[in-house]
Amino acid sequence: MEKTVLSVENLWISIRQDKPVVQDISFAICQGTVLGIVGESGSGKTMLCKAILGLLQHQSSVAVTGRVLVNGKDILKISARELQSMRGNEIGVIMQNPMTAFNPLIKIGGHIIETLMAHRTISKQEAYATGIAMLKKMNLPRPEEIMNSYSCSLSGGMLQRIMAAIAMASSPAVLIADEPTTALDVKNQALLLDEIEKIKNEEKPGIVLVSHDLAVIARIADEVAVMKAGKIVEQGQIYQVFEEPVHSYTKELLSARLMGGRRVRC
């Protein structure tokens, strides 16, 4: 049996003592497994991802209870310094909009080298060579040219794959991909999903994939959790939930999606 790398237990998130935006969420992810999370805007998907990344518990206006275990360590109980060490080492992230994820005044190579040197004991020259290898692994053309480029000169699809390369730089146990295909055209969506599948099969992180696109979830996820109003209303194997949904909201999502008139198949 594969090792459990991420376990979320009875997670609640409230902002300024208002009604909880995430309510009693629990799930576990093993190595090499993708959990797809779907649901309408405002259902709590991104807040859940932020909690897993440890971005909420040190904010005075946010109350977070429950447990989020990464390789058995509860990130809700550790210090901000320990969290900083875990991000990039044990938890990687691919964000939604690649055009805003990079400092436009720093070359791509600078981003990659800084990340590698922050988490490994290597020289700048070694970090540069590793960066070239990372970009090649993501099937990006002319990696030396990319390392010397600014983000404004690269396409969204290229930047998203560069972000994926950076996210996997230290072979994290958990990878969070929050709407990674939203800003991409169909061709670049397919290229990015190819790379995520490659990461899943070769590096075997536990992956949380958030998407509005049910076709994206159907293609890559092993399990799916359907969120509505801060709660998981249905969860199970991807083929089971998509082929035989039980909850009325899941049925609404599946009937509302438009895929050229075709049914989403797993």
Side-chain angles (χ1 to χ4, degrees):
M1 183 178 293
E2 296 285 1
K3 174 186 175 184
T4 297
V5 291
L6 173 64
S7 180
V8 176
E9 302 174 1
N10 309 117
L11 183 68
W12 292 74
I13 304 172
S14 301
I15 301 176
R16 298 185 183 89
Q17 299 182 337
D18 290 337
K19 181 180 177 181
V21 294
V22 167
Q23 304 180 51
D24 201 20
I25 298 292
S26 296
F27 60 81
I29 303 177
C30 295
Q31 288 177 312
T33 300
V34 179
L35 173 68
I37 299 180
V38 299
E40 62 194 23
S41 297
S43 61
K45 304 186 302 297
T46 294
M47 291 297 287
L48 172 60
C49 290
K50 287 182 177 180
I52 296 170
L53 289 165
L55 297 175
L56 300 178
Q57 67 267 31
H58 296 293
Q59 297 184 26
S60 59
S61 62
V62 182
V64 184
T65 60
R67 300 208 302 170
V68 177
L69 304 174
V70 176
N71 276 339
K73 185 181 294 185
D74 189 352
I75 67 168
L76 301 182
K77 305 299 183 185
I78 63 179
S79 67
R81 184 172 183 176
E82 288 177 291
L83 272 172
Q84 185 176 5
S85 176
M86 287 189 72
R87 294 191 202 109
N89 276 326
E90 296 185 64
I91 310 172
V93 59
I94 306 174
M95 292 178 283
Q96 184 174 140
N97 190 345
M99 306 306 292
T100 60
F102 296 88
N103 186 330
L105 302 179
I106 298 176
K107 292 180 179 180
I108 296 300
H111 286 280
I112 294 175
I113 290 168
E114 180 182 15
T115 300
L116 290 170
M117 294 185 70
H119 297 291
R120 299 186 191 179
T121 305
I122 57 176
S123 67
K124 190 172 183 179
Q125 291 73 22
E126 290 171 325
Y128 179 88
T130 301
I132 294 292
M134 287 163 50
L135 296 180
K136 286 181 178 178
K137 196 170 183 179
M138 285 290 155
N139 292 315
L140 285 159
R142 303 182 300 279
E144 293 85 359
E145 184 178 320
I146 290 174
M147 290 285 281
N148 200 43
S149 299
Y150 293 96
S151 59
C152 60
S153 66
L154 302 174
S155 70
M158 294 180 74
L159 291 175
Q160 200 67 305
R161 281 188 283 162
I162 293 167
M163 198 188 309
I166 294 173
M168 293 304 299
S170 297
S171 299
V174 176
L175 177 63
I176 308 297
D178 185 8
E179 297 281 4
T181 61
T182 296
L184 306 181
D185 58 38
V186 174
K187 178 182 177 181
N188 281 305
Q189 282 186 17
L191 289 172
L192 179 64
L193 291 176
D194 286 345
E195 299 310 324
I196 293 177
E197 284 190 306
K198 185 177 177 181
I199 288 169
K200 169 191 170 182
N201 295 327
E202 294 182 0
E203 305 290 338
K204 295 191 179 301
I207 302 176
V208 177
L209 174 63
V210 175
S211 181
H212 285 95
D213 191 335
L214 299 185
V216 168
I217 298 296
R219 170 178 167 177
I220 202 170
D222 302 292
E223 302 175 12
V224 62
V226 181
M227 289 190 68
K228 180 176 174 61
K231 300 178 182 178
I232 291 179
V233 296
E234 186 165 357
Q235 183 175 349
Q237 295 292 318
I238 187 75
Y239 65 86
Q240 178 184 19
V241 174
F242 276 14
E243 294 296 334
E244 298 180 358
V246 174
H247 197 278
S248 59
Y249 179 66
T250 308
K251 294 176 182 178
E252 290 175 10
L253 282 180
L254 289 168
S255 63
R257 61 91 186 94
L258 295 176
M259 282 266 307
R262 294 177 296 168
R263 180 172 173 74
V264 174
R265 305 291 296 187
C266 303

